[in-house]
Amino acid sequence: MAPTGSTITLSAPTNALGVNGSTDIVAQVLEAAGTPPHSGTRVTFITKLGRIEPADATTDASGRVVVKFLPGGSSGTALIAAANRSGRCV
């Protein structure tokens, strides 16, 4: 679990996908002091359009997690959120 005051920043190399495309979603977790949490901090991803694989993943030593976003046959704007075990959601 990341300590209280931690932040999660999400990024993706693209902001537009074809209906059956995919892209990586990168989550960077940082503690309030600006340092990464311990390796293995769990991050949960949610979206209401398409799916995230895997929906639960753990950080590496630098506090990063990389998952895949797949819109499937859906079109529209996907809002993706991530939360760590402490409940911090972005």
Side-chain angles (χ1 to χ4, degrees):
M1 174 181 339
T4 301
S6 296
T7 60
I8 303 173
T9 303
L10 299 179
S11 62
T14 185
N15 62 1
L17 291 172
V19 173
N20 289 309
S22 68
T23 191
D24 287 341
I25 301 295
V26 179
Q28 177 66 58
V29 182
L30 293 175
E31 296 177 347
T35 57
H38 65 84
S39 179
T41 297
R42 182 175 160 207
V43 178
T44 301
F45 297 84
I46 57 169
T47 184
K48 291 186 177 183
L49 183 125
R51 67 186 188 280
I52 305 288
E53 291 184 358
D56 291 303
T58 57
T59 59
D60 61 16
S62 67
R64 288 174 40 104
V65 175
V66 180
V67 295
K68 188 74 70 179
F69 169 67
L70 302 121
S74 302
S75 63
T77 301
L79 300 176
I80 298 170
N84 65 29
R85 296 278 320 235
S86 67
R88 175 77 177 160
C89 188
V90 296

